[in-house]
Amino acid sequence: MDKDSEGSTIDTTLNFEAADSVTSRRSDDVRPMMGNEAMARGAWEAGVQVGAAYPGTPSTEIMEFLSAYPEADVRAQWATNEKVALDVAIGASFAGARALSVMKHVGLNVASDSLMSQTYIGVNGGLVLIVCDDPGIHSSQNEQDTRLYARLAMVPCLEPSDAQEALEFTRLAFTISEEFDTPVLVRSTTRLSHTRSLVEVGERSDIEPTGFKENPHKNVMIPSNARTQHPRLIEREEKLKTYFENSELTKWEKGDKDVGIVTLSTSYVYVKEVLPDASILKLGSSWPLPSNIISEFSRSVKRLIVVEELEPIVEREILSMGIKAEGKAFFPRVGEFSPEVIRDGLETAGILQKQKNKLNIDITPTVRPPVLCAGCPHTSSYMAVKSLDARVAGDIGCYTLAAVEPLQAIDTCVAMGSSIAVATGMAKAGTETKPIIATIGDSTFLHSGIPPLIDAVYNDVNITVILLDNHTTAMTGGQDHAATGRSLRGDETHRVDFEQIVNACGVDWVRIADSYDLANMYQTFREAVEFKGVSVVISDRPCVLDPVKIRGETLVVNQSNCVACQACMNLGCPSLVWSDEMYDGHHKVKIDAETCIGCALCAQLCCTDSISALPKSK
Amino acid sequence: MNKQEKPNSITNVLIVGVGGQGVIMVSKVLARLCQRHGFDVKQSEVHGMAKRGGVVFSHVRFGEKIWSPTVSEGNADVLLALEWAEALRWLHYLKPKTGTFIADTQHIVPPFACLKRHRGAEQRYAQETPEEIVSQVAKGYALDATGIATELGNFRVSNTVLLGTLSTALAFDEADWRDTLAELVPPKTIDTNLEAFQKGRDWVEEVKKTPKKEKNTKKPNKIAPYQQQVKIQNDIQQDLIPVITAAWCKGCDICVKMCPERCLKLNTKEVVELVEPERCTGCRICEWLCPDFAIDVVKVPTPLNEEASKSKPASLPETV
Ligand SMILES: Cc1ncc(C[n+]2csc(CCOP(=O)(O)OP(=O)(O)O)c2C)c(N)n1
Ligand code: SF4
Ligand code: SF4
């Protein structure tokens, strides 16, 4: 069986539609879909015409799936960052088309500025934002709850609980957007985005775009117009409240009257799993809340419990209505929910009996964190950075993995694009005796690294910026960006030239170095650090996984020559492991032939010249 | 298996392994098969870091109606592991009295297992043997699926070998398994995959025939030699330490650059110094590379304890 990529790439294999031999009792329009695929489908069925996103786990596949629909239906694109993605969607909405913007939770921080004004303006064509949260922090820098943004922007926030709802809610979001003249948030979570379940699909509704509607009072946010729009938001909120009171999105499931559960999103399916007989009020939107039905529900049960992942938003809102409710007393405010978490909470609440049925075997799990790939060009860049004994402001991407053993080459990591300005701040503080370096990936640089670079030049600081150009957005599964020369659909397009951009920002010292040439990297970095002012080194080597898997000749360690100094292992290449042979109490090293890609970086580090290419067999 | 025979019952399968092994492919075949039989099915995995050699797991739940996408601890009817340490990591998910445990005995040693550099350092990898585990679970199969796949000429089909083993634990028709597998793998690899699938089934047949005692055939590779070596090395009562003859050092920086642990540094007088003695592993690289023979790595008789290593430079005053 061929190994699937298991990254955030599009998966076409599980296309159940193709199989006609299916002996399913379900209709032909039912197929297994990942939550992300279902949301793309929902948008397509709603007649979306423009889609823009910046990748980010777990949201990435949504735009990839959307781009698989015909271009005549929908223009789907990668944007340079989330704010650009939202602005593109806003523009399309102005032009009267239905538009979608997709991002991960932290992406909304970047895009929030536009959202906060657009909510005053409203929409022309339906405008929907899908935002994916990451409870449990599977691959993010924080665990923020997007629903707080919905409150701040006073926009509805639909929260589907499974893939079927993901499709339906996304489709409906466009209607709500146009009917109530508001942007609409659809909030997913990692679990929903990455779970496959059976989904009944529908057809695309052909919506004729209306074209631009001239209306400066509504479309131009200057103070006088904003002042008249703000009260409109409050009216809109009331109307939405009424809508959710009567909408099919709000579901009352009658059951046991002792406990009533108010829940939404994936928490709902966990509750159904653990407490199938309870009375449940399932909300479709966490904002604004249908207060009448909630209070009616609360009167019908003896005890009201709110089950929601992350922040107690619904719980506090219910409490503020003067209704007695419990929730976060039993369920954590951090981490991902699961049936176990819900069960534990209900046990603490005295609703379920304690249950113990686990195998009693005590095992210390083997530590297996994600690591940089064998042959990753970032490994050698950071080897060279380490030789400088510098203070290193890191950024977000695969290269953040250089923060852990054995490289341990990054001192800080804040948010996308922060590194350069953080380095500037360190330099301005004047407390640092070591050279100050910022390391930033190519996609991150385009996302939000250019303004801070201009700032560094403008304010004349002495820092070195290392632009790790691996020709892709690797961490999220290898998406194209403005400097790869390819669009989301794989078509050839304009390509940004990093050296020119850096020069144009006013940087006087720029070099390009191949990160597979370690000696040259050491030398170039040294010169860069010695330069007084802003110096930039662009390390230039493609990622070994994306867009194409790179494999060269496998290397071997000559066991009789290896002195077990393990200098090569400082790279952290996962193909380098201990061999069974020892030298003077230390393990010699061997190379795993299955995973080595033959980058020869380890050979460059070997003090005894023990690493060389595998002799060719005839 | 169809819904009439098993009313309202839900089957939970947890498939685990390491990035790149094909965990998700196995779970796709199973999910597809369940769908063909008219079951409701949910398949849930968290990817993102999987490509970087991290842990991969996929929950497959099927039955009349499925709510939670994830299996709860202690509730897996089958735990299928494509790697030994991963099998152990998820063991507590298995149903204690009835769960079936299927695991490849192969070891994929993570780089983190080989991080400690001092003499006699231990590899940090699971110590439990297949015999120990299989004897403690309700139903257990530990096989060298990677070995079987390698014999077939493609170690990558080890996941299909295990799928074959899994097929004996779930009551779908053998022909259905084969059809679904053939449908989902790339056309060119169908034959190899079907062969691998058969091997996995055959292995179970063999085990059923042989008397109970020798149920699991292979020992985990390599674990014993490491443990033996570690034992010997822990007896070493000596430590190695570089002794620097300051007068001979001309500050060329070679040892500083080449020290794998970066524990040497030039001081203000451009003479090399051992600044991080606790990091020194005594590998002798500096001694060998010094063009002026200014460094000697000598054996210092000392118990291997913290304090002794911290006080090292102080105990060698005349030479540093
Ligand atoms: C605001 C924000 N948007 C998106 C992400 C998701 N994300 C994390 S790393 C990354 C890609 C970084 O790509 P690049 O800088 O090229 O580094 P590489 O992974 O290729 O080494 C993205 C998009 C994020 N963490 N924060
Ligand atoms: S995916 Fe590419 S950039 Fe990321 S660790 Fe692997 S080689 Fe490096
Ligand atoms: S050549 Fe060396 S560093 Fe490169 S992938 Fe192979 S073992 Fe790793």
Side-chain angles (χ1 to χ4, degrees):
Chain A
M1 198 181 303
D2 208 34
K3 301 292 138 130
D4 45 313
S5 69
E6 291 176 348
S8 325
T9 43
I10 280 214
D11 151 43
T12 45
T13 355
L14 205 76
N15 191 352
F16 285 31
E17 181 191 20
D20 31 12
S21 65
V22 183
T23 56
S24 170
R25 66 189 150 113
R26 291 163 203 271
S27 84
D28 283 350
D29 293 337
V30 175
R31 52 187 89 155
M33 277 189 176
M34 202 155 80
N36 279 347
E37 185 179 1
M39 284 184 271
R41 175 83 192 191
W44 177 78
E45 287 181 9
V48 73
Q49 277 143 347
V50 175
Y54 182 71
T57 317
S59 71
T60 312
E61 300 90 350
I62 300 174
M63 201 46 67
E64 291 175 333
F65 278 119
L66 194 63
S67 75
Y69 291 101
E71 187 155 18
D73 286 357
V74 51
R75 270 72 63 203
Q77 66 161 67
W78 289 132
T80 37
N81 66 35
E82 291 88 352
K83 180 170 156 44
V84 175
L86 179 54
D87 287 340
V88 167
I90 287 173
S93 163
F94 270 133
R98 288 194 161 181
L100 174 72
S101 178
V102 179
M103 58 203 68
K104 70 183 288 178
H105 60 336
V106 285
L108 187 52
N109 299 336
V110 179
S112 61
D113 196 17
S114 298
L115 175 62
M116 291 308 150
S117 297
Q118 190 61 28
T119 184
Y120 279 46
I121 294 172
V123 305
N124 183 13
L127 176 64
V128 174
L129 268 83
I130 301 178
V131 184
C132 300
D133 283 7
D134 189 15
I137 322 189
H138 294 285
S139 56
S140 300
Q141 59 268 40
N142 74 17
E143 202 174 31
Q144 70 188 47
D145 192 329
T146 291
R147 303 180 301 159
L148 289 162
Y149 267 116
R151 256 191 102 145
L152 185 60
M154 302 170 80
V155 297
C157 181
L158 308 188
E159 299 198 46
S161 72
D162 62 12
Q164 181 70 50
E165 286 189 355
L167 185 152
E168 288 165 10
F169 284 23
T170 309
R171 195 172 54 197
L172 182 63
F174 287 92
T175 317
I176 297 178
S177 170
E178 284 167 5
E179 203 172 313
F180 293 89
D181 194 11
T182 175
V184 176
L185 281 182
V186 176
R187 174 192 183 248
S188 177
T189 59
T190 303
R191 191 57 66 184
L192 171 63
S193 283
H194 287 171
T195 293
R196 272 191 196 83
S197 56
L198 301 179
V199 176
E200 191 172 348
V201 299
E203 287 309 315
R204 177 171 166 99
S205 27
D206 274 317
I207 309 271
E208 213 29 65
T210 54
F212 190 84
K213 287 192 187 134
E214 286 174 21
N215 183 357
H217 286 299
K218 176 166 157 44
N219 294 343
V220 183
M221 273 312 98
I222 52 175
S224 57
N225 293 343
R227 256 177 248 127
T228 54
Q229 286 298 96
H230 194 180
R232 204 187 63 82
L233 257 64
I234 295 164
E235 284 165 30
R236 183 175 79 195
E237 203 168 88
E238 279 309 311
K239 286 187 197 147
L240 280 161
K241 215 177 225 174
T242 317
Y243 171 75
F244 289 124
E245 296 279 6
N246 308 309
S247 157
E248 56 183 24
L249 288 172
T250 314
K251 272 197 208 131
W252 183 336
E253 296 178 6
K254 302 224 154 79
D256 176 10
K257 291 221 157 68
D258 286 341
V259 198
I261 308 265
V262 178
T263 186
L264 71 178
S265 178
T266 43
S267 305
Y268 167 74
V269 296
Y270 299 137
V271 170
K272 289 295 281 185
E273 181 78 32
V274 178
L275 208 62
D277 300 327
S279 291
I280 295 178
L281 184 64
K282 179 182 179 297
L283 304 173
S285 173
S286 55
W287 188 264
L289 291 188
S291 47
N292 294 340
I293 197 164
I294 290 175
S295 97
E296 200 183 317
F297 179 73
S298 76
R299 285 195 300 272
S300 78
V301 292
K302 288 205 189 108
R303 197 173 169 192
L304 191 71
I305 298 200
V306 183
V307 183
E308 58 187 322
E309 216 167 25
L310 299 179
E311 289 302 297
I313 289 165
V314 173
E315 181 183 348
R316 289 203 178 142
E317 199 53 30
I318 292 181
L319 287 173
S320 77
M321 294 171 193
I323 297 169
K324 202 164 158 271
E326 302 162 282
K328 290 296 167 187
F330 313 124
F331 307 102
R333 249 172 99 169
V334 297
E336 188 181 17
F337 276 6
S338 64
E340 293 95 314
V341 172
I342 305 300
R343 167 160 274 287
D344 281 355
L346 293 171
E347 281 172 6
T348 318
I351 292 163
L352 283 177
Q353 297 296 312
K354 280 246 177 281
Q355 216 183 48
K356 203 86 202 119
N357 68 333
K358 263 192 261 170
L359 266 183
N360 217 351
I361 306 180
D362 193 24
I363 283 164
T364 328
T366 302
V367 189
R368 196 190 296 279
V371 290
L372 290 167
C373 299
C376 172
H378 295 325
T379 53
S380 55
S381 299
Y382 280 102
M383 276 302 283
V385 165
K386 264 194 101 171
S387 76
L388 297 170
D389 190 22
R391 185 66 66 214
V392 183
D395 222 302
I396 299 190
C398 277
Y399 49 94
T400 318
L401 296 172
V404 295
E405 287 181 280
L407 283 167
Q408 288 180 304
I410 293 173
D411 293 307
T412 68
C413 165
V414 186
M416 287 277 285
S418 292
S419 57
I420 300 178
V422 166
T424 300
M426 286 178 180
K428 288 280 173 186
T431 55
E432 193 56 68
T433 51
K434 297 177 172 186
I436 297 169
I437 293 183
T439 59
I440 183 165
D442 47 350
S443 186
T444 307
F445 182 72
L446 293 168
H447 176 280
S448 46
I450 299 170
L453 181 63
I454 296 173
D455 176 86
V457 174
Y458 173 55
N459 290 302
D460 196 22
V461 287
N462 184 20
I463 61 167
T464 296
V465 176
I466 295 171
L467 205 173
L468 303 157
D469 181 10
N470 61 354
H471 311 186
T472 188
T473 316
M475 181 91 255
T476 45
Q479 289 72 30
D480 279 294
H481 57 58
T484 65
R486 291 210 175 269
S487 71
L488 168 57
R489 283 181 191 277
D491 302 329
E492 237 172 276
T493 180
H494 302 280
R495 201 180 70 79
V496 161
D497 184 319
F498 284 123
E499 198 179 6
Q500 279 184 13
I501 285 202
V502 171
N503 278 324
C505 291
V507 176
D508 292 328
W509 198 102
V510 192
R511 298 279 185 285
I512 298 178
D514 177 359
S515 61
Y516 276 3
D517 182 350
L518 258 173
N520 183 38
M521 288 294 270
Y522 286 132
Q523 177 71 19
T524 313
F525 283 9
R526 241 168 227 230
E527 285 172 25
V529 166
E530 270 158 30
F531 179 81
K532 292 278 168 280
V534 180
S535 51
V536 175
V537 183
I538 304 171
S539 84
D540 181 34
R541 255 288 159 182
C543 162
V544 300
L545 270 192
D546 293 300
V548 276
K549 222 172 183 150
I550 294 172
R551 273 211 78 156
E553 225 176 314
T554 302
L555 271 63
V556 279
V557 179
N558 179 343
Q559 293 296 311
S560 57
N561 215 37
C562 173
V563 296
C565 74
Q566 300 181 10
C568 54
M569 290 186 97
N570 286 341
L571 271 176
C573 171
S575 300
L576 295 162
V577 287
W578 287 349
S579 86
D580 291 337
E581 290 190 40
M582 306 285 282
Y583 182 90
D584 197 19
H586 298 282
H587 293 270
K588 293 185 185 177
V589 178
K590 70 172 178 195
I591 291 176
D592 175 27
E594 303 301 350
T595 52
C596 168
I597 70 129
C599 68
L601 283 168
C602 54
Q604 293 174 51
L605 286 166
C606 180
C607 310
T608 58
D609 210 5
S610 305
I611 306 181
S612 52
L614 197 64
K616 279 211 178 77
S617 53
K618 289 275 155 67
Chain B
M1 187 167 12
N2 62 45
K3 66 171 181 131
Q4 277 82 4
E5 286 163 32
K6 295 188 81 187
N8 287 329
S9 78
I10 289 171
T11 308
N12 296 318
V13 182
L14 183 59
I15 303 160
V16 303
V18 177
Q21 280 195 300
V23 166
I24 293 173
M25 193 64 195
V26 172
S27 71
K28 271 184 198 161
V29 173
L30 176 58
R32 175 81 179 100
L33 188 60
C34 299
Q35 196 219 352
R36 290 178 109 185
H37 283 256
F39 287 109
D40 188 16
V41 52
K42 282 191 178 169
Q43 177 201 350
S44 180
E45 60 250 353
V46 170
H47 25 161
M49 294 291 194
K51 269 189 182 175
R52 318 289 173 279
V55 176
V56 183
F57 54 91
S58 179
H59 301 247
V60 180
R61 307 189 71 218
F62 61 95
E64 179 61 18
K65 170 76 195 163
I66 302 298
W67 290 108
S68 168
T70 56
V71 178
S72 308
E73 291 177 15
N75 266 315
D77 295 286
V78 183
L79 170 64
L80 180 76
L82 275 57
E83 199 272 349
W84 185 245
E86 292 313 308
L88 301 177
R89 181 188 317 283
W90 299 97
L91 196 55
H92 60 288
Y93 272 76
L94 199 62
K95 268 189 190 159
K97 296 211 179 70
T98 53
T100 305
F101 170 89
I102 303 172
D104 193 340
T105 52
Q106 78 148 330
H107 291 181
I108 296 181
V109 178
F112 263 58
C114 308
L115 271 187
K116 294 268 174 285
R117 298 288 175 79
H118 59 270
R119 279 151 47 91
E122 235 177 289
Q123 191 183 47
R124 293 184 287 178
Y125 187 89
Q127 303 292 318
E128 291 79 6
T129 63
E131 288 76 9
E132 276 165 26
I133 300 301
V134 167
S135 67
Q136 289 182 70
V137 297
K139 225 186 285 166
Y141 301 119
L143 63 156
D144 181 13
T146 305
I148 295 172
T150 312
E151 275 170 33
L152 286 176
N154 184 358
F155 76 98
R156 286 179 192 280
V157 295
S158 59
N159 57 348
T160 314
V161 175
L162 290 163
L163 188 78
T165 311
L166 174 70
S167 73
T168 64
L170 298 174
F172 294 111
D173 273 354
E174 188 186 340
D176 288 344
W177 279 101
R178 291 174 157 274
D179 286 352
T180 313
L181 177 63
E183 180 190 321
L184 290 182
V185 297
K188 268 190 273 172
T189 66
I190 291 178
D191 289 346
T192 327
N193 274 299
L194 289 177
E195 205 181 338
F197 178 81
Q198 193 55 44
K199 289 276 180 202
R201 288 183 71 91
D202 292 349
W203 186 88
V204 180
E205 284 304 308
E206 280 299 305
V207 171
K208 281 188 179 148
K209 270 187 244 151
T210 42
K212 264 242 146 84
K213 265 240 141 174
E214 288 159 307
K215 203 156 106 179
N216 25 78
T217 48
K218 284 225 169 155
K219 283 205 151 210
N221 12 4
K222 281 157 230 151
I223 204 147
Y226 276 122
Q227 279 166 330
Q228 280 162 16
Q229 283 168 344
V230 165
K231 265 231 171 70
I232 301 164
Q233 297 312 325
N234 279 343
D235 295 339
I236 296 178
Q237 288 295 302
Q238 279 176 327
D239 220 345
L240 293 164
I241 189 90
V243 177
I244 297 154
T245 312
W248 293 358
C249 173
K250 62 176 189 286
C252 74
D253 213 22
I254 290 179
C255 57
V256 176
K257 286 210 197 79
M258 298 307 282
C259 169
E261 304 305 320
R262 304 201 176 281
C263 43
L264 298 167
K265 224 183 185 168
L266 287 190
N267 64 19
T268 44
K269 289 183 220 130
E270 297 277 290
V271 168
V272 72
E273 243 177 46
L274 180 65
V275 287
E276 290 191 68
E278 58 288 346
R279 292 187 63 106
C280 173
T281 63
C283 77
R284 290 184 192 273
I285 288 291
C286 52
E287 180 188 272
W288 290 324
L289 293 178
C290 177
D292 297 282
F293 307 104
I295 307 182
D296 251 336
V297 175
V298 297
K299 282 196 170 143
V300 189
T302 156
L304 285 169
N305 68 36
E306 287 270 282
E307 267 164 49
S309 73
K310 282 207 182 99
S311 61
K312 264 184 268 173
S315 65
L316 303 158
E318 71 285 7
T319 46
V320 175

